[in-house]
Amino acid sequence: MKITREDDAIRQTVLNIEMEEADLESYMQRAYQRVVQKVKVPGFRPGKAPRRVVERVVGRESLLSEALDFMVPEVTAKAIEQEDIEAGAQPDVELVETEPVTIKATVPLTPLVETGDYSAMRVAYEAPVVTDEQIDEALEEARRKEAVWEPVERAAEMGDDVNMTFKGVVEEETVVEQEDAAFILDPEAPIAGFGAAIVGATAGESREFELPFPEDYFNESLAGKACTFTVTVKEIKAQVLPELDDEFAKGVDDGYDSLDALKDSIRQRLQDALENEGENTYQDAVLSELLNVGSVELPPIMVERAIDNHLQEIQDTIGRRIGRAISLDEYMDIMKKSEDDLREETRVTVEEQLRRSYLLTQVAENEGIEATDEDVEAEIETMATSAGEQGEQVRQLFMSQENRDSVARSIRSRRTVQLLVDIAKGESPAQATDEPSDEAETVEDTETTQSGEQSEESTEQAT
């Protein structure tokens, strides 16, 4: 087996593998053993015809074609081992020719990771505080939920609930007609301008007006076309809000002793939500800073595969919503973009996700952050408990080592992010090393779409 090696890109190498006749022999023999069981050879019982006879009947090309199925991956793996290559993912393999058998394998190398001095990272953090305006807005929302609609003897105003008969005509064809339709007058619904055209009308009054359907209207046959509406107002109702007092507070949710108690509850709920949102935002800022401090060299094949996975996830999501699978061509039609456009739009996000993942993995390794079997068991039990009646199904799902490894990666990633958050706030130094190494290091185990995506998706589905 002759192997020549060339580096065609950053963290990527190409192996050109030429098979010699002696190398082919064992594979051709295995192919014969498969084929002889399937082919009928006159004068021989099934499976008993000699190889030379079988080869004469089916042809050497057919035997070689059968051999290629297992020969190409096996030969490629041997070549990678022989060249002492640390592959970061499965190679792209291409059969160049059959005489002699020549294989081209493009091998992504393990990404080169430099964490930088993350122990010196600092990211400004400002604890969120609930404002009085936010509390007032929440109180108004609570009032609206408890409001009642009462008939009024006045002209319609924006926000009123108007009962009407109406008809819509497009190009002399009636496209919509309803006898008792109720609309809460809104500047944009059901289409822009409809609510404003009703404002000022009184019960019993009829109006006629023309409005265009939006260019992106869900009914494509009407999109962008002018529609003549004829409307007769039947009844107008206004929303009557309850008084904001202690009595009102007693009727909200499970009831509060006073309006002040309700406000305190709202403040705490909003504070918890703001802190959760703020923490997520802050984590993103810290991880962005980690990207600035460190660096990752990614092989192009790995990026392209991650883009493939990302686009497929989007197609799967759309497919679940509409109840059937969609092709990439259908997705391109929906987005009105070419495949190249979609891939380029996705590239920045995918590369950032991969770099974050490899950096987090290397930091975890530097700091000795791990998840024990006990940690994994506790996490699974928490998920099972929160799943209620489906708890046993969750436990069964995580019986597989693959899914347990996914949980372990998730725990390790979460702990690593928390360490970096503490460092960025100036609350904690790096745990295992005072000075993280700036030397380039390679990483094999990462929480990327290459190694853990399928298992992590299983985790999400279970929870």
Side-chain angles (χ1 to χ4, degrees), residues 41-60:
V41 180
F44 294 93
R45 295 195 308 275
K48 298 300 183 179
R51 175 176 157 185
R52 56 183 175 75
V53 176
V54 171
E55 192 167 332
R56 189 167 61 245
V57 170
V58 302
R60 186 177 186 280

Side-chain angles (χ1 to χ4, degrees), residues 116-136:
D117 187 8
Y118 55 84
S119 66
M121 281 196 317
R122 295 295 182 270
V123 178
Y125 176 77
E126 185 175 343
V129 178
V130 176
T131 65
D132 290 339
E133 289 76 11
Q134 290 171 314
I135 294 175
D136 290 342

Side-chain angles (χ1 to χ4, degrees), residues 332-363:
M332 289 189 292
D333 288 341
I334 292 171
M335 300 301 294
K336 295 180 171 55
K337 293 179 180 179
S338 69
E339 182 177 358
D340 287 343
D341 290 339
L342 291 174
R343 296 186 73 84
E344 286 310 306
E345 287 177 1
T346 304
R347 187 176 302 279
V348 173
T349 300
V350 163
E351 287 187 350
E352 181 175 306
Q353 289 172 343
L354 286 170
R355 287 191 169 94
R356 279 188 181 190
S357 182
Y358 276 102
L359 282 167
L360 281 175
T361 299
Q362 189 60 56
V363 171

Side-chain angles (χ1 to χ4, degrees), residues 106-173:
T106 305
V107 186
L109 306 181
T110 303
L112 194 66
V113 181
E114 295 181 357
T115 59
D117 187 8
Y118 55 84
S119 66
M121 281 196 317
R122 295 295 182 270
V123 178
Y125 176 77
E126 185 175 343
V129 178
V130 176
T131 65
D132 290 339
E133 289 76 11
Q134 290 171 314
I135 294 175
D136 290 342
E137 184 179 333
L139 282 171
E140 285 303 303
E141 177 61 28
R143 290 179 74 199
R144 285 192 290 271
K145 288 181 179 178
E146 299 297 325
V148 294
W149 293 91
E150 295 183 354
V152 292
E153 299 294 331
R154 60 165 171 75
E157 298 175 0
M158 200 64 74
D160 285 347
D161 185 359
V162 180
N163 185 276
M164 66 185 78
T165 62
F166 81 106
K167 180 171 72 172
V169 177
V170 175
E171 297 173 350
E172 300 184 352
E173 179 183 349

